[in-house]
Amino acid sequence: GFFANKINIDETTIIAITKSKAIVTGANSGSGYYTALDLIKRGCDVIITCRSSQKGEATLKRLDNDTRNLDPDKIGKYKYIELELLKKDSIDKFLEKIKNESNVNILVNNAGAWLQTPAISEDNIETQWQANYLAGFYMANKLLPIIKQNAKKLGLVEL
């Protein structure tokens, strides 16, 4: 890849990832799915999110299939929690569910929306603006204290 020769993954990074827990939004397809899968293969526990339980359950089955030949003691654990970025209430419920998760120190804000016709969310905000910018910013700000605290516990760089 373009940045492959610029990334230095040393033993400290590998140890940190195996003790980490990541949240990957929009993990049911595309780059979100493959980011979650790669983290899992590296030993990182992952909370996958998408907006419906049907997509979440299908993603769990796909991950089971894609990791079936790997040593279960060397890969990360994964689970699904519903998260609809077009509903602030859903984001708040998600944050409440994960506030006591240990070692959450990675947030991959991957989910987004692209609509040809502008629409308004239940929160009375234009949907692309809410899904692609506001929701990720809101989640990152709410999670930052938890991520900082967990990064310190793992001996990682302070954010």
Side-chain angles (χ1 to χ4, degrees):
F2 182 74
F3 294 106
N5 61 343
K6 307 225 186 280
I7 299 173
N8 181 17
I9 298 180
D10 60 13
E11 193 65 29
T12 306
T13 305
I14 293 167
I15 291 167
I17 285 178
T18 60
K19 293 182 179 180
S20 294
K21 186 176 290 180
I23 297 167
V24 181
T25 66
N28 58 297
S29 65
S31 59
Y33 177 81
Y34 288 104
T35 298
L37 179 60
D38 187 67
L39 288 167
I40 292 163
K41 286 180 177 181
R42 293 174 189 265
C44 181
D45 293 342
V46 177
I47 298 170
I48 62 165
T49 74
C50 50
R51 59 185 164 170
S52 75
S53 58
Q54 182 181 18
K55 287 181 180 185
E57 295 302 321
T59 302
L60 291 177
K61 287 179 185 173
R62 185 175 172 198
L63 286 168
D64 288 344
N65 186 56
D66 288 347
T67 60
R68 74 180 180 279
N69 294 326
L70 302 174
D71 183 345
D73 294 328
K74 292 185 179 179
I75 65 171
K77 296 177 179 71
Y78 48 92
K79 66 180 178 180
Y80 160 74
I81 300 178
E82 187 171 328
L83 174 62
E84 170 56 87
L85 296 178
L86 293 177
K87 298 178 183 176
K88 183 181 175 290
D89 190 46
S90 176
I91 298 169
D92 289 335
K93 286 178 184 173
F94 172 81
L95 292 168
E96 185 64 30
K97 286 180 186 175
I98 61 116
K99 75 177 182 183
N100 294 321
E101 292 277 346
S102 62
N103 298 337
V104 172
N105 58 2
I106 301 169
L107 172 62
V108 180
N109 270 326
N110 170 72
W114 183 80
L115 304 169
Q116 291 183 340
T117 306
I120 303 296
S121 73
E122 288 181 13
D123 299 321
N124 204 28
I125 299 170
E126 197 277 325
T127 54
Q128 292 181 114
W129 176 242
Q130 183 169 348
N132 298 338
Y133 301 101
L134 295 179
F137 181 78
Y138 179 73
M139 277 186 48
N141 275 295
K142 292 289 189 177
L143 287 171
L144 193 56
I146 295 168
I147 290 171
K148 279 180 154 182
Q149 178 183 359
N150 290 333
K152 283 182 183 178
K153 284 184 207 172
L154 292 171
L156 300 175
V157 177
E158 185 173 337
L159 302 172

